[in-house]
């Protein structure tokens, strides 16, 4: 579906800002991203422009307008319906980055362990350019591996793993036995599954 006029204006502003970032060194992109960290919400246009540029540099992908509109929808808590192959995994990076800036962590729940592992590895270079750490929880992950992954800025996992870790944490007798931190933002990939 075509973006409405206000979404189109936001996409245009993001593209203009991204064009201004194109001439910066990689270290300047990372510095600009780090400057946005904090408890207050960073400007969406700046966040998304930085993420689009990091994706272009590290993944070699130029996002389409529809992907940016999908990321805007996800950022505002809506479901973004995109067909297989339309790039929702890469579009999610914009939303995840903007929400990870609070320092509270973002979890991305995928349909299976393979996708969690693949997406963390595939999107990782873009996140790292933006100064974020990336973790992945798998079915066979140890308690310490889980704790380390959940402490990252971005954690990829399945909803099943997140759910069972939550339950185990609720039953823990000692706080040191817990692996998750408080939930701040969760993006659900393949929400229909």
């Amino acid at each position: 579906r075509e973006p409405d006029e206000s979404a189109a204006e936001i996409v245009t502003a993001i593209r203009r800002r991204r064009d201004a970032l194109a001439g910066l060194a990689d270290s300047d992109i990372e510095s600009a991203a780090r400057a946005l960290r904090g408890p207050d919400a960073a400007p969406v246009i700046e966040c998304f422009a930085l993420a689009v540029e990091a994706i272009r540099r590290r993944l070699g992908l130029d996002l389409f307008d529809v992907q940016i509109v999908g990321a805007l929808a996800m950022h505002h808590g809506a479901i973004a319906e995109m067909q297989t192959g339309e790039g929702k995994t890469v579009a999610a990076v914009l939303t995840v980055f903007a929400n990870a800036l609070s320092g509270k962590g973002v979890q991305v729940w995928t349909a299976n362990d393979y996708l969690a592992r693949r997406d963390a590895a595939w999107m990782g270079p873009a996140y790292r350019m933006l100064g974020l750490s990336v973790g992945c929880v798998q079915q066979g992950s140890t308690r310490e591996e889980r704790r380390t992954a959940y402490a990252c800025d971005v954690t990829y996992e399945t909803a099943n793993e997140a759910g069972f870790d939550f339950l185990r944490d609720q039953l823990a007798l000692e706080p040191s036995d817990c692996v998750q931190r408080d939930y701040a933002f969760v993006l659900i990939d393949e929400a229909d599954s």
Side-chain angles (χ1 to χ4, degrees):
R1 162 181 135 178
E2 289 297 312
D4 63 25
E5 188 174 326
S6 61
E9 290 170 1
I10 294 170
V11 170
T12 299
I14 291 167
R15 292 221 178 271
R16 270 195 219 114
R17 181 63 185 132
R18 200 242 26 119
D19 290 346
L21 296 169
L24 297 178
D26 289 357
S27 60
D28 294 331
I29 297 292
E30 186 172 341
S31 294
R34 284 191 189 278
L36 295 175
R37 284 183 168 258
D40 299 324
V44 171
I45 290 170
E46 182 70 11
C47 293
F48 278 32
L50 283 163
V52 168
E53 181 61 12
I55 289 166
R56 186 187 70 77
R57 290 183 189 200
R58 291 297 180 260
L59 307 179
L61 301 171
D62 285 318
L63 271 64
F64 295 101
D65 288 355
V66 70
Q67 291 170 305
I68 297 172
V69 170
L72 286 166
M74 289 184 273
H75 183 67
H76 292 291
I79 294 175
E81 183 178 0
M82 298 172 79
Q83 297 299 317
T84 300
E86 285 188 331
K88 64 183 165 289
T89 300
V90 72
V93 172
L94 282 64
T95 302
V96 170
F97 170 63
N99 286 280
L101 292 171
S102 69
K104 296 178 183 175
V106 172
Q107 292 185 21
V108 181
W109 293 356
T110 63
N112 57 55
D113 272 358
Y114 166 76
L115 291 174
R117 186 174 54 253
R118 181 201 73 178
D119 294 352
W122 182 21
M123 300 300 122
Y127 289 126
R128 284 188 287 281
M129 181 177 198
L130 296 166
L132 300 179
S133 57
V134 182
C136 180
V137 173
Q138 299 280 274
Q139 187 173 11
S141 297
T142 66
R143 183 182 317 172
E144 195 52 45
E145 289 169 336
R146 289 169 189 274
R147 188 176 292 114
T148 299
Y150 286 123
C152 289
D153 296 305
V154 182
T155 306
Y156 282 85
E157 65 188 318
T158 66
N160 284 345
E161 291 302 315
F164 283 116
D165 283 339
F166 176 81
L167 292 173
R168 283 188 286 267
D169 282 359
Q170 298 306 303
L171 296 171
L173 298 176
E174 299 292 329
S176 61
D177 291 335
C178 295
V179 296
Q180 291 185 333
R181 57 179 164 167
D182 291 338
Y183 285 91
F185 188 89
V186 175
L187 190 142
I188 302 171
D189 192 5
E190 307 289 351
D192 57 341
S193 68

